């Protein structure tokens, strides 16, 4: 009886040891996975096995101006291209901007055929009834906002020679000291000068902004868009986006695109910042609201969990920088060796780009190149590879909703 007891005890001890080892291996696999090393360890396994949800592939990204949206566009481009998804691409490089979006600005769109796309993500002035003619009912709508203070400093540098109100002054401070002596609501490029994000969402950027009107617009945006990201918290935004779309960490790893040379970034006094908030009151209210809802979503996600996932995202980004980039950081346009991937230069801004490491394998070079490819080049590449969108069965078109107030 004693020997039997010893035998059973030994078996139990052995089972505990095995269970402990399996737990350690499982934890190691998980940690390796989120650090982007899953395929190195177990190339035959798929990350989707961890998830109970399915990755979302019907996407509308409203690309707002001067909000880190080019970096986000690159993420969407890479996700869609890797999965052979269909893009609704503009005839040129924007969807008839600054006019409200219309399907006639979509390349190869045939109004006589009920076509349907996976992704639409280039610059537009949002207009939901026309968007719904292209996108299925389960489309995930998202966009990104930036503090109007840093947005206006960037916009002034970028659109100094385009927006007539900016072209009349020597400095942003000069403009803000007496904006109405330089600005006209109907002047060329006025949407780059005042309440640009409000305008991009399809609303009147010169409205008086009564509380009732502002609340109605914000409610409408809230009801249409599933997620509004915040540029100042880009990494946290990517974690929320990855979670909302049921994507993998690898899908939202990126390099910052179109950064400006520090020599063209002007410091702002608190007085100037206050003037910017007052001048862009609609954008400021929009930003405050969605900054608040953003952090509510972070709280639902979990602050500790968010902190851990941001660390993992940064580690994955650094790994890609080490693999892909000479020096690991952007360089001024004059230092870009491959002129074919030099970002489009505009206004006073010196838009920086990257140089790739020279010892990359063919596969790694293609992967790295996609991560630094300027958006105009990438759009042309996708257009050259484009295939026909799906054709919806008759009677399956989306219900149109008017976004006018």
């Amino acid at each position: 009886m004693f020997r039997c007891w010893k035998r059973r005890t030994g078996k139990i001890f052995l089972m505990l040891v095995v269970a402990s080892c399996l737990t350690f291996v499982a934890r190691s696999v998980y940690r390796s996975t989120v650090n982007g090393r899953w395929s190195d360890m177990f190339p035959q396994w798929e990350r989707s096995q961890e998830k109970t949800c399915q990755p979302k592939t019907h996407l509308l990204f409203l690309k707002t101006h001067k909000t880190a949206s080019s970096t986000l566009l690159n993420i969407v481009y890479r996700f869609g291209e890797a999965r052979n998804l269909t893009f609704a691409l503009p005839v040129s490089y924007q969807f008839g901007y600054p006019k409200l979006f219309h399907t006639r600005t979509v390349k190869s769109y045939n109004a006589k055929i009920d076509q349907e796309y996976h992704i639409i993500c280039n610059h537009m002035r949002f207009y939901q009834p026309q968007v719904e003619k292209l996108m299925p009912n389960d489309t995930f709508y998202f966009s990104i906002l930036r503090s109007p203070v840093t947005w206006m400093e960037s916009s002034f540098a970028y659109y100094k020679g385009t927006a007539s109100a900016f072209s009349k002054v020597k400095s942003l401070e000069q403009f803000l000291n007496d904006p109405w002596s330089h600005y006209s609501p109907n002047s060329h490029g006025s949407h780059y000068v005042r309440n640009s994000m409000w305008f991009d969402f399809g609303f009147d950027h010169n409205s008086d902004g009564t509380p009732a009107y502002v609340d109605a617009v914000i409610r409408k945006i809230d009801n249409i868009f599933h997620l509004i990201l915040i540029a100042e918290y880009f990494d946290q935004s990517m974690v929320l986006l990855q979670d909302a779309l049921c994507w993998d960490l690898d899908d939202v790893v990126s390099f910052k695109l179109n950064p400006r040379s520090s020599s063209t970034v002007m410091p702002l006094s608190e007085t100037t910042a206050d003037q910017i908030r007052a001048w862009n009151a609609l954008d400021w209210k929009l930003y405050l609201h969605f900054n608040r809802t953003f952090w509510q979503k972070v709280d639902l996600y979990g602050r500790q969990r968010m902190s851990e996932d941001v660390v993992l995202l940064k580690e994955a980004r650094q790994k890609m920088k080490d693999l892909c980039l000479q020096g690991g950081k952007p360089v001024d346009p004059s230092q870009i060796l491959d002129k074919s991937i030099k970002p489009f230069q505009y206004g006073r801004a010196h838009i920086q780009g990257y140089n790739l490491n020279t010892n990359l394998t063919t596969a790694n070079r293609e992967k790295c190149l996609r991560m630094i490819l300027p958006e105009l080049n990438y759009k042309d590449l996708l257009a050259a590879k484009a295939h026909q969108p799906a054709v919806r069965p008759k009677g399956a078109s989306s219900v149109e909703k008017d976004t006018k107030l």
Side-chain angles (χ1 to χ4, degrees):
M1 183 175 178
F2 178 73
R3 283 197 302 271
C4 181
W5 177 82
K6 284 181 64 179
R7 192 179 302 114
R8 289 180 180 175
T9 302
K11 287 181 178 179
I12 292 171
F13 177 77
L14 180 61
M15 291 171 65
L16 289 173
V17 170
V18 171
S20 177
C21 291
L22 289 174
T23 300
F24 175 80
V25 170
R27 287 177 177 172
S28 298
V29 168
Y30 173 75
R31 186 58 56 178
S32 297
T33 298
V34 292
N35 272 293
R37 295 191 295 270
W38 182 283
S39 58
D40 295 344
M41 294 183 63
F42 303 106
Q44 72 275 23
W45 288 12
E46 295 181 2
R47 291 188 180 193
S48 59
Q49 291 177 334
E50 288 184 357
K51 301 178 181 292
T52 58
C53 56
Q54 290 296 317
K56 289 181 172 62
T57 56
H58 290 144
L59 310 173
L60 176 137
F61 169 49
L62 178 60
K63 188 179 186 295
T64 49
H65 286 78
K66 314 312 299 173
T67 58
S69 62
S70 292
T71 303
L72 195 42
L73 178 72
N74 180 270
I75 290 171
V76 176
Y77 273 169
R78 284 188 282 121
F79 180 88
E81 184 192 11
R83 290 154 184 83
N84 204 31
L85 303 180
T86 56
F87 288 86
L89 296 171
V91 173
S92 56
Y93 294 101
Q94 300 184 10
F95 290 111
Y97 192 87
K99 295 180 180 178
L100 287 169
F101 174 76
H102 196 284
T103 56
R104 62 173 169 261
T105 61
V106 177
K107 187 178 180 64
S108 301
Y109 178 72
N110 186 346
K112 296 179 181 179
I113 302 174
D114 203 5
Q115 296 169 301
E116 191 173 85
Y117 297 83
H118 287 103
I119 298 173
I120 184 168
C121 54
N122 294 85
H123 274 308
M124 70 163 70
R125 189 177 181 208
F126 183 72
Y127 186 52
Q128 189 183 9
Q130 289 291 310
V131 167
E132 287 185 328
K133 291 183 178 182
L134 303 174
M135 304 304 294
N137 291 329
D138 65 346
T139 297
F140 186 90
Y141 289 67
F142 67 105
S143 189
I144 186 167
L145 299 176
R146 180 183 183 182
S147 167
V149 175
T150 54
W151 165 83
M152 194 165 193
E153 186 277 328
S154 177
S155 187
F156 183 81
Y158 202 77
Y159 298 112
K160 177 69 172 68
T162 303
S164 60
F166 285 160
S167 65
K168 298 175 183 178
V169 296
K170 293 182 178 180
S171 67
L172 180 57
E173 289 78 8
Q174 181 186 352
F175 172 82
L176 290 166
N177 286 335
D178 189 11
W180 286 108
S181 66
H182 311 292
Y183 177 84
S184 170
N186 298 319
S187 63
H188 180 72
S190 66
H191 49 283
Y192 297 133
V193 177
R194 191 181 192 211
N195 295 315
S196 173
M197 292 175 282
W198 194 271
F199 181 86
D200 286 351
F201 276 93
F203 301 102
D204 181 7
H205 62 306
N206 288 306
S207 169
D208 291 337
T210 63
Y213 171 73
V214 170
D215 289 345
V217 168
I218 289 176
R219 278 199 309 272
K220 186 166 286 291
I221 295 172
D222 231 342
N223 288 336
I224 295 171
F225 284 80
H226 299 90
L227 182 62
I228 302 293
L229 308 172
I230 301 296
E232 285 77 13
Y233 308 104
F234 191 83
D235 287 345
Q236 293 88 341
S237 292
M238 293 305 97
V239 171
L240 286 185
L241 182 67
Q242 175 223 226
D243 183 64
L245 296 179
C246 194
W247 288 5
D248 290 325
L249 178 73
D250 289 346
D251 296 324
V252 296
V253 174
S254 65
F255 304 144
K256 184 177 181 180
L257 297 186
N258 292 352
R260 278 190 294 152
S261 171
S262 59
S263 63
T264 66
V265 178
M266 298 295 107
L268 302 175
S269 67
E270 190 54 42
T271 298
T272 300
D274 287 341
Q275 290 174 321
I276 292 173
R277 295 185 192 102
W279 176 246
N280 295 280
L282 297 174
D283 271 2
W284 180 240
K285 292 170 183 175
L286 188 69
Y287 179 80
L288 287 177
H289 172 83
F290 284 106
N291 185 60
R292 183 169 62 253
T293 60
F294 176 86
W295 288 105
Q296 289 171 356
K297 287 179 170 64
V298 171
D299 286 335
L300 288 173
Y301 188 82
R303 294 281 179 132
Q304 182 61 34
R305 180 187 175 199
M306 174 61 73
S307 297
E308 293 171 356
D309 287 350
V310 165
V311 169
L312 295 174
L313 178 61
K314 289 180 177 179
E315 288 175 353
R317 181 187 298 125
Q318 187 59 53
K319 180 180 177 181
M320 291 306 299
K321 284 183 177 180
D322 293 341
L323 171 68
C324 297
L325 304 180
Q326 288 187 30
K329 60 183 180 180
V331 297
D332 283 345
S334 62
Q335 297 176 310
I336 297 173
L337 301 177
D338 184 349
K339 301 307 178 185
S340 69
I341 56 172
K342 179 180 176 181
F344 180 61
Q345 303 297 310
Y346 201 77
R348 289 183 173 180
H350 294 165
I351 307 300
Q352 296 181 314
Y354 296 94
N355 290 316
L356 293 179
N357 282 325
T358 57
N359 59 345
L360 294 168
T361 65
T362 300
N364 282 340
R365 189 180 189 283
E366 284 301 308
K367 183 175 182 179
C368 294
L369 180 62
R370 291 297 194 277
M371 296 184 71
I372 67 168
L373 198 61
E375 61 186 88
L376 303 187
N377 305 50
Y378 213 146
K379 183 266 176 183
D380 288 341
L381 183 150
L382 292 174
K385 295 175 61 176
H387 53 281
Q388 291 298 313
V391 178
R392 288 187 226 170
K394 290 184 178 179
S397 58
S398 302
V399 176
E400 293 189 3
K401 300 175 184 177
D402 196 349
T403 60
K404 292 182 179 178
L405 292 179

